Amino acid sequence: MPLASDRASLATFPIDWGGLAPLRLKSRAVAEGVYAGMHRSIRKGAGVEFGGQRPYVPGDDLRFFDRRALLRHDRLMVREFETETDRALWLCVDATASMSYRGQRAPGAKLAYAALIAAAMARVALATGDPVGLAWLGGAGTHGLPAMAGREAFERIVGALEATSAAQDWSGDAGAIERALAPVAKKARRGAVVLLISDLLDLAHESGTDRALSAFTPLSTGGRTLIALQVLDPSEAELDFEGNVRLRALEGDAVVEADAGAVRAQYKARLAALTEGWSRALASRGGRLLRATSADPPTDVVRSLVQAIAEVRR
């Protein structure tokens, strides 16, 4: 539970980049050398999904000759299919108030780290020609982007990430997550990879984890793949405070005064239960949950995400 001096619902927190900026250079360095074939791309050709028809061109494979079109319309047509070789990557970045926290051991705030991971993943995807979209959970100054590819896509994604501030308290808003993810549910095509980057701590404070999971897991319908990356500050992951502490939540009204050493085991058990619930729910739908702290080497995290996506695609 990060410290806060004001009610998060009224506060805006510019990204504390620390040593994680400049984002363009850092993300390019992280992406460099990471295996780029993280997921498949939609291309026309032989495959399992019918993709429409087009007029026959000499040299086309006659196995896909549409005889019914010839009989009905007296036209030579070829059936097209979508191969399983190229899918869009949708980045869903949590920018609610709790993501502004930065402890003494972290190089930057959780939101800065999430932005670095998101930008690096976009760089990896775009390098293979895969389109990348961007959606936000909370935040101020946010700008969502449709899935796009090409040279300008990376600059637009980085610009949107840099312009955002952490803001909004979602602990009491039952429909906030559903509204935020609605554009992804509408626009993400079959086979898309949806990557949520969040601390997962305060998305559904009043009713536990179910609210956030009930909004995120339905995105797996239509052949989409769900991956969640939980990003915690090292102080949150370990509760490494000493002695008596007074902690105020950045989202919600919770204030806790306790001896850190006395409650550390209970805190870690509850945190483990939270992540285990996410892990089971995603695994049951063919997805994956990964964990990281904002002090972990970002290249290792991106490589783990790439590997996880490749594994669930097998």
Side-chain angles (χ1 to χ4, degrees):
M1 185 186 302
L3 291 169
S5 58
D6 300 303
R7 283 296 307 275
S9 59
L10 303 177
T12 297
F13 306 91
I15 296 181
D16 179 0
W17 289 103
L20 299 177
L23 184 58
R24 284 170 176 80
L25 297 180
K26 293 284 187 179
S27 59
R28 286 172 179 167
V30 170
E32 185 176 353
V34 175
Y35 173 63
M38 64 176 176
H39 55 280
R40 301 171 289 185
S41 117
I42 297 177
R43 290 204 179 111
K44 300 300 182 181
V48 296
E49 281 298 311
F50 177 61
Q53 299 171 316
R54 63 169 175 80
Y56 169 80
V57 176
D60 282 338
D61 193 331
L62 295 180
R63 290 179 299 172
F64 307 115
F65 176 68
D66 193 335
R67 296 178 179 83
R68 293 185 178 179
L70 177 62
L71 294 174
R72 291 179 179 177
H73 309 295
D74 195 26
R75 297 180 61 191
L76 297 177
M77 303 292 292
V78 175
R79 291 168 61 87
E80 289 189 312
F81 297 85
E82 293 176 350
T83 62
E84 298 180 270
T85 54
D86 189 318
R87 304 296 185 192
L89 171 66
W90 279 88
L91 302 168
C92 302
V93 180
D94 182 0
T96 54
S98 67
M99 293 294 288
S100 68
Y101 181 65
R102 177 188 180 185
Q104 294 182 349
R105 294 160 51 195
K110 289 185 290 184
L111 181 53
Y113 190 84
L116 176 58
I117 298 298
M121 288 295 293
R123 183 76 175 179
V124 172
L126 292 168
T128 65
D130 297 338
V132 179
L134 177 63
W136 294 97
L137 281 66
T142 57
H143 180 52
L145 296 171
M148 65 185 79
R151 296 181 179 179
E152 296 183 1
F154 178 71
E155 293 298 323
R156 293 185 63 184
I157 291 168
V158 169
L161 292 168
E162 290 180 327
T164 298
S165 298
Q168 299 185 25
D169 177 357
W170 279 11
S171 59
D173 190 339
I177 302 172
E178 289 86 347
R179 293 193 299 271
L181 295 177
V184 180
K186 181 179 180 180
K187 298 177 182 178
R189 298 171 57 183
R190 177 179 178 85
V193 174
V194 182
L195 171 59
L196 171 66
I197 307 177
S198 168
D199 57 16
L200 305 182
L201 294 179
D202 296 301
L203 292 182
H205 177 76
E206 291 185 352
S207 61
T209 308
D210 289 346
R211 182 185 297 170
L213 279 176
S214 65
F216 185 60
T217 52
L219 294 178
S220 65
T221 59
R224 305 183 188 104
T225 296
L226 302 185
I227 304 291
L229 174 66
Q230 183 184 39
V231 175
L232 298 177
D233 185 272
S235 296
E236 293 174 324
E238 300 296 331
L239 195 66
D240 58 359
F241 306 108
E242 298 295 338
N244 293 324
V245 294
R246 185 174 187 270
L247 304 176
R248 182 189 300 274
L250 282 165
E251 297 181 44
D253 296 317
V255 178
V256 175
E257 296 185 19
D259 182 279
V263 300
R264 186 172 292 115
Q266 181 182 7
Y267 170 85
K268 288 186 175 182
R270 295 186 64 179
L271 183 61
L274 171 72
T275 55
E276 178 62 22
W278 274 84
S279 181
R280 286 198 307 268
L282 292 177
S284 68
R285 293 175 176 256
R288 188 75 59 84
L289 172 71
L290 286 79
R291 300 180 64 188
T293 75
S294 50
D296 291 342
T299 301
D300 293 345
V301 175
V302 172
R303 185 176 294 112
S304 295
L305 287 169
V306 168
Q307 292 174 348
I309 293 172
E311 288 171 1
V312 298
R313 284 294 191 185
R314 291 175 183 171

